[in-house]
Amino acid sequence: MELLLLAFLGKPLWMWLLFLGVVIALLAFDLGVLHKDSHEIGVAESLRMSAMYIVLGVAFSGFVYWQMGTEPAAQYLTAFVVEKTLAMDNIFVIALIFGFFAVPREYQHRVLFWGILGVIVLRAIMIGLGATIVANYQWVLYLFAVFLIFTGIKMMFVQEASHDLEGNRLVRFMRKHFRITDQFHGNKFIVKQADPKTGKLVRYGTPLLMALVMIEIADLVFAVDSVPAVFTITTDPYIVYTSNIFAILGLRALYFALSAILHRFAYLKYALSILLVFIGSKIFIADLMGWEKFPPTWSLGITFAILGVGVIYSLWKTNGSKAEETRSHPAGE
């Protein structure tokens, strides 16, 4: 019992084990019960899965409140909302990756599921390193803040670059240095088949493996924005990590519903850019006002307001896009 009470990154070991136990149980239930057999996930199932993860993610704030108090609970909820929203762009990239490798919809959940395991490990490493750096060099938070402000301004005014996966260096590297087959072999990532030169059975990576690697790299790139954003909300590694993982779990589940309507959120990037500037500026506002830190409840309220306006404006501006698309491509053409 004494071992469970030992502190790890500022929290008792049992709190970390409890969270990891919940995540492992969710993943086991997801793959072992809900998706034991590969099948195409429809919008309704996607929404149900996402609602389940959102409810659990929000409910976890109750545990944070019970163990840590009101302020950490507000910080957790703010970090949860920010992380989930910033990961919207990740959904767009995932859709591009699946489209490029022509991954059948019935296998997409398997790729995203195993991708979650990589996220759990990679985010743990990044957050652990970030927490250690911030604990020893507090001024790094100001660098994070400036980076977020710069990123937000850049997102507002700079046109998005096109994602050319055919010319992607990682794709070219994998195809050049590893045995990769262009054929799908069910839901397998690696298969054995005859080498055309020697005739011997050797292992080949399938397009599912390529898609999985690309999605992991994409998440690592997006984490460069999202992890510093959460550290400017709170420096508590437990809140940073748990909010990150719960947000990503739910967003991967929501992918199958959102991928079909991403065009309706075309203007959300402006809200995200304002949100990044706000998050980055909080530390400077707190210093200017003589506060120890920016009030967490204010932060949560302002975050909801910015995102709410962004979603409503985006849905309003794209309201006629579906009808216009239907008129441009009538049924039967």
Side-chain angles (χ1 to χ4, degrees):
M1 289 298 295
E2 291 183 1
L3 178 63
L4 297 178
L5 297 176
L6 291 176
F8 177 71
L9 292 178
K11 293 294 177 291
L13 186 60
W14 72 266
M15 289 180 63
W16 291 99
L17 294 178
L18 175 66
F19 170 71
L20 292 176
V22 169
V23 171
I24 291 171
L26 285 172
L27 294 178
F29 177 71
D30 191 327
L31 189 65
V33 178
L34 296 180
H35 304 98
K36 187 175 182 179
D37 301 316
S38 297
H39 65 276
E40 182 175 339
I41 296 178
V43 173
E45 182 180 356
S46 174
L47 291 175
R48 287 195 300 269
M49 290 168 53
S50 181
M52 177 189 75
Y53 281 116
I54 289 174
V55 168
L56 290 172
V58 173
F60 194 78
S61 67
F63 173 76
V64 175
Y65 170 78
W66 177 45
Q67 288 294 317
M68 303 168 63
T70 303
E71 186 173 310
Q75 292 172 340
Y76 168 87
L77 286 172
T78 305
F80 177 75
V81 172
V82 168
E83 174 61 36
K84 184 173 284 292
T85 310
L86 289 178
M88 284 287 291
D89 278 351
N90 209 347
I91 286 185
F92 175 72
V93 173
I94 289 172
L96 284 177
I97 292 171
F98 281 152
F100 176 77
F101 291 107
V103 177
R105 287 184 65 85
E106 60 265 30
Y107 302 145
Q108 290 178 5
H109 176 269
R110 181 175 175 82
V111 176
L112 293 178
F113 174 86
W114 289 107
I116 285 292
L117 298 182
V119 169
I120 291 173
V121 175
L122 290 174
R123 292 292 173 105
I125 294 172
M126 292 185 68
I127 291 171
L129 290 174
T132 302
I133 292 172
V134 169
N136 289 281
Y137 307 100
Q138 195 74 17
W139 53 266
V140 170
L141 286 176
Y142 291 90
L143 292 183
F144 285 169
V146 171
F147 172 73
L148 292 176
I149 294 172
F150 172 77
T151 302
I153 295 173
K154 181 181 177 182
M155 184 185 295
M156 176 74 75
F157 296 106
V158 177
Q159 190 72 20
E160 292 184 8
S162 60
H163 299 275
D164 178 20
L165 292 183
E166 190 64 53
N168 185 276
R169 293 181 180 179
L170 180 60
V171 172
R172 295 205 307 262
F173 177 85
M174 290 186 67
R175 286 176 171 169
K176 181 179 180 181
H177 294 87
F178 299 96
R179 297 186 182 93
I180 302 294
T181 176
D182 293 328
Q183 302 298 318
F184 288 94
H185 294 262
N187 59 10
K188 295 180 179 179
F189 294 104
I190 298 175
V191 295
K192 280 188 175 182
Q193 61 184 38
D195 187 308
K197 295 181 179 179
T198 64
K200 294 182 179 179
L201 287 177
V202 293
R203 288 183 174 84
Y204 279 78
T206 69
L208 284 188
L209 179 64
M210 295 277 285
L212 176 61
V213 172
M214 291 300 296
I215 287 173
E216 291 293 350
I217 297 299
D219 181 80
L220 191 61
V221 172
F222 281 105
V224 173
D225 285 341
S226 63
V227 171
V230 178
F231 267 114
T232 58
I233 295 170
T234 175
T235 57
D236 189 316
Y238 189 78
I239 297 177
V240 175
Y241 187 62
T242 54
S243 61
N244 258 254
I245 299 305
F246 265 122
I248 293 171
L249 282 172
L251 201 70
R252 294 292 172 95
L254 191 57
Y255 162 79
F256 298 95
L258 287 184
S259 60
I261 58 171
L262 279 176
H263 65 284
R264 295 300 308 275
F265 298 96
Y267 295 89
L268 187 59
K269 78 165 192 172
Y270 298 109
L272 294 181
S273 65
I274 294 172
L275 179 61
L276 286 176
V277 172
F278 164 67
I279 293 172
S281 64
K282 287 194 308 175
I283 190 170
F284 299 108
I285 294 174
D287 286 349
L288 186 64
M289 299 298 294
W291 299 336
E292 184 179 351
K293 61 176 65 175
F294 196 93
T297 51
W298 289 20
S299 181
L300 180 60
I302 294 171
T303 297
F304 270 116
I306 292 172
L307 295 178
V309 171
V311 169
I312 292 171
Y313 179 76
S314 191
L315 292 175
W316 173 66
K317 288 290 288 184
T318 59
N319 186 41
S321 60
K322 187 69 176 179
E324 290 174 6
E325 184 178 340
T326 302
R327 287 196 296 269
S328 301
H329 304 280
E333 284 193 3

